[in-house]
Amino acid sequence: MTKEERIFRQYLESMFTYTQRSILAFCLKRHTPVCFYGSGLGKSTLVKILRNAGFENVYAPEDCGCDNAQWSVLDKQGAVALRMQKGSFDRPLPKNPFSKETIYAVCADVLEHTR
């Protein structure tokens, strides 16, 4: 595993349980819409990272246009909602964080261990 892959894996581990990471990996690999919600920070940052890497079916609460944004989930048929816990990632993210290849490598690693 490369350094970038380790950092991304640790980043995800700070916000999601193992089961949630498996679901996220499945959604990203299958192009299934996924929405992030919950209190705390990190939802918009994760969506930005994933969109910058070319994943389009990822949504943060502000994509819903609702008043109670942090608990909102986009009303999109077939979407999976993942509740994020407040991240404990204790270092700054790289300036150009995580390529699609890195994200897919971490997803493959998670899915391999899920079988």
Side-chain angles (χ1 to χ4, degrees), residues 19-107:
T19 301
Q20 287 176 309
R21 291 192 311 275
S22 299
I23 293 167
L24 175 60
F26 182 84
C27 290
L28 293 177
K29 298 280 279 179
R30 301 276 190 229
H31 309 287
T32 300
V34 62
C35 306
F36 304 108
Y37 73 97
S39 61
L41 305 173
K43 299 173 291 293
S44 299
T45 300
L46 179 58
V47 167
K48 182 179 177 184
I49 287 169
L50 293 171
R51 285 181 181 167
N52 284 342
F55 295 95
E56 297 177 8
N57 279 329
V58 292
Y59 304 95
E62 57 267 17
D63 295 320
C64 301
C66 298
D67 292 335
N68 194 8
Q70 65 184 358
W71 295 106
S72 299
V73 175
L74 187 69
D75 184 14
K76 185 169 179 77
Q77 186 172 357
V80 172
L82 288 176
R83 182 179 179 270
M84 292 178 63
Q85 60 191 8
K86 185 174 181 178
S88 61
F89 195 72
D90 60 354
R91 61 189 136 181
L93 293 170
K95 289 192 185 268
N96 296 314
F98 315 119
S99 67
K100 193 170 213 170
E101 293 77 23
T102 294
I103 294 168
Y104 272 140
V106 171
C107 288

